[in-house]
Amino acid sequence: MNCCGPTRRTLLAAMGFAALLPALDVGRAAAQPNPLLTTDLEVVTITDTSVVLTWTTLTPDAAGNPVPALADTEVLLADGRVFTQAHYDATPTPYHFVEVNGLEPGRTYRFEARSRGIRATPALNLITGAPGTPESCGEFTTLTPPPGRLLHTIALANDVHFGEEVSGVIINGLPPGFRQDMPPYPQAMLSALLSDLPTRGVEKLLLAGDLTAEAAPDQVRGVRAALDGWGHEYLVTRGNHDRPHVGEDYRGCPSIDDHHDCWGESFLPRQQLTENRLGELRIIGLDTSELDGSGGSIDRPQLAHLSELLRADPDRPTLVFGHHPVTTESGLTNTGGPAFVLNGPDGAALQAMYTSAPGVFLQHSGHTHRNRRTRPDAACAVEFLEVAAVKEYPGGYSLLRLYEGGYMVNFYKMSAEQARRWSATTRGEYLGLYPEYTLGTCADRNHTVERDLSGLA
């Protein structure tokens, strides 16, 4: 299974596939009246006891363009030769989401996802359609959980962009973006996230930045009200979109030089870390935002504060979260390049601290809108995990389940109907190439790490 991001060659191949897709849809439309295309199959989540599959059903309109089509939802599973029905729902929908529970850890299952009896297939994207993926093989293997008891469940999320109105635009209206055809999509996706989490036993939600589109006063107030009204524990850190801004719209907020910090007024002062506890687990939030621009940095006082905390208790199990990814690999593989992540000197300083603090085991980042694990540059046993955005495809969050003998990471899409519809719409961002970059490999999304976390018990 491919563990790396899309190369230039795979991107070019995917562009070719994307260009062929309309022609393939038209050809199928001509072959039979009102045919059903069951596509975009994704094996999103694989835990030790469950699997989540999603797909979309389409049919050609009068012009031959594929449009959403209502259909039933069925999944068959086999751990031997014979398939049995594991799920069936006659409720018609174009946006199919199935979670099958009660599976056995470490076991391989064959599967078929169907609508109207037609087997779902992956889209013409390499991330799901390449040989060796669960979608192309028609089989998956459940994870084996770490040893010991389950101790805590934490949700990792980021990039809500509350107040945004167009998704998928980079600059000057290009590439063509997607406007909401629903209640404002950042609000709808955040609502879907907050509705999902209590059903999964989440004790605390960590939001690693970009809570707002541009930190305008109404955006900050809106996202704060939504989070406070949720009624469960959450922690936040600032992203580049949440940075202090200039302009008349911001003048009522506290000033920093010629900028005004509306986000800081409602949440946290700029470049200030936070330290919290969940039982014996230490959770440190870093503000990696700069006063201007999209890149990341950590001011000297914040670095010194972090160093002091880690030196005082280096072996305590510690989870760090901040908006900007840290590693050289992340800088070289994201679409914005090295300047888009935490700057090199600060990233090196951070990782050097981790080499002397063996209790740090994972750093959660957002910003790139993708699911990705990258290698550290220093000799530190820390997982550097990027989690895809809440606000657009694939539209979800990761669960971090902590056991006495390690942890399990699983990415979930939100299950609400509006979230499924918007995720299916925005998977077409960047001329249909967005899944290649953002979904991540099955192993990026779902994995187990054995590590001594018995100190949390």
Side-chain angles (χ1 to χ4, degrees):
M1 187 174 293
N2 182 22
C3 65
C4 304
T7 64
R8 181 175 181 273
R9 179 175 296 176
T10 58
L11 284 172
L12 288 172
M15 289 176 69
F17 285 148
L20 285 173
L21 186 56
L24 290 173
D25 286 335
V26 171
R28 295 186 186 195
Q32 53 180 310
N34 300 319
L36 188 72
L37 178 63
T38 53
T39 186
D40 301 343
L41 173 66
E42 293 174 357
V43 182
V44 181
T45 312
I46 304 172
T47 76
D48 53 334
T49 60
S50 65
V51 64
V52 177
L53 302 94
T54 63
W55 68 96
T56 305
T57 44
L58 305 170
T59 196
D61 63 11
N65 299 309
V67 295
L70 299 173
D72 61 350
T73 302
E74 182 182 24
V75 169
L76 307 177
L77 288 184
D79 58 0
R81 299 182 62 182
V82 180
F83 279 102
T84 58
Q85 188 180 75
H87 175 91
Y88 181 76
D89 187 350
T91 306
T93 180
Y95 313 110
H96 305 270
F97 181 108
V98 175
E99 181 168 359
V100 179
N101 293 292
L103 306 181
E104 295 185 17
R107 191 159 186 171
T108 298
Y109 293 85
R110 293 184 296 131
F111 73 93
E112 288 188 9
R114 296 177 177 177
S115 290
R116 297 189 203 166
I118 301 172
R119 183 174 179 176
T121 57
L124 293 174
N125 295 118
L126 297 177
I127 196 68
T128 53
T133 64
E135 294 85 356
S136 65
C137 294
E139 67 176 37
F140 62 88
T141 301
T142 51
L143 299 181
T144 299
R149 293 178 296 133
L150 174 64
L151 302 174
H152 297 294
T153 301
I154 299 170
L156 310 177
N158 42 263
D159 294 277
V160 176
H161 291 221
F162 199 97
E164 185 178 275
E165 296 182 353
V166 182
S167 185
V169 172
I170 297 177
I171 190 170
N172 296 330
L174 294 173
F178 291 85
R179 288 189 174 271
Q180 56 218 35
D181 57 351
M182 57 190 293
Y185 62 82
Q187 288 91 317
M189 297 300 274
L190 177 59
S191 177
L193 168 71
L194 299 180
S195 296
D196 259 21
L197 298 185
T199 68
R200 302 202 180 278
V202 169
E203 298 166 80
K204 199 178 290 287
L205 165 63
L206 309 187
L207 285 161
D210 279 4
L211 276 66
T212 65
E214 291 299 336
D218 60 329
Q219 296 172 4
V220 175
R221 288 193 298 267
V223 74
R224 180 66 193 253
L227 291 170
D228 287 348
W230 181 42
H232 299 272
E233 293 187 30
Y234 70 91
L235 299 173
V236 302
T237 192
R238 188 194 302 253
N240 58 294
H241 283 262
D242 306 317
R243 70 191 185 278
H245 282 61
V246 298
E248 290 298 324
D249 292 342
Y250 300 88
R251 289 196 180 278
C253 301
S255 61
I256 299 177
D257 297 330
D258 58 342
H259 296 66
H260 296 272
D261 190 9
C262 302
W263 194 94
E265 183 178 36
S266 288
F267 288 105
L268 296 165
R270 183 173 177 272
Q271 284 289 320
Q272 178 176 300
L273 69 74
T274 60
E275 182 189 20
N276 290 274
R277 298 291 174 93
L278 178 59
E280 297 301 313
L281 174 68
R282 176 170 55 187
I283 303 172
I284 294 176
L286 299 177
D287 181 351
T288 58
S289 66
E290 298 179 338
L291 197 57
D292 293 294
S294 59
S297 63
I298 304 176
D299 288 356
R300 298 305 100 183
Q302 187 178 188
L303 276 176
H305 189 187
L306 176 63
S307 178
E308 178 184 349
L309 291 176
L310 296 180
R311 283 201 312 269
D313 198 357
D315 297 313
R316 175 173 295 279
T318 300
L319 165 64
V320 181
F321 73 113
H323 188 60
H324 291 82
V326 173
T327 66
T328 298
E329 182 184 346
S330 182
L332 294 175
T333 58
N334 82 86
T335 56
F340 195 64
V341 303
L342 191 67
N343 71 62
D346 290 351
L350 203 60
Q351 293 179 73
M353 291 182 197
Y354 295 164
T355 63
S356 302
V360 181
F361 63 91
L362 186 143
Q363 177 148 351
H364 157 221
S365 302
H367 195 44
T368 58
H369 295 203
R370 64 181 181 174
N371 291 308
R372 178 79 184 231
R373 291 182 294 170
T374 61
R375 296 181 299 272
D377 305 304
C380 57
V382 178
E383 174 173 339
F384 291 91
L385 178 70
E386 300 164 39
V387 177
V390 169
K391 65 110 173 174
E392 64 192 355
Y393 174 89
Y397 56 93
S398 285
L399 288 191
L400 176 66
R401 296 181 174 97
L402 302 176
Y403 295 77
E404 292 174 306
Y407 61 87
M408 184 186 304
V409 172
N410 295 107
F411 179 78
Y412 289 83
K413 292 182 180 180
M414 275 88 77
S415 59
E417 176 80 10
Q418 284 188 335
R420 286 184 275 145
R421 176 154 61 94
W422 184 246
S423 177
T425 298
T426 53
R427 81 186 315 279
E429 288 182 12
Y430 304 110
L431 306 178
L433 295 178
Y434 211 44
E436 305 286 15
Y437 179 66
T438 57
L439 182 61
T441 67
C442 188
D444 284 329
R445 300 191 305 273
N446 306 288
H447 54 272
T448 297
V449 175
E450 291 195 5
R451 182 168 181 143
D452 183 9
L453 296 180
S454 57
L456 298 179

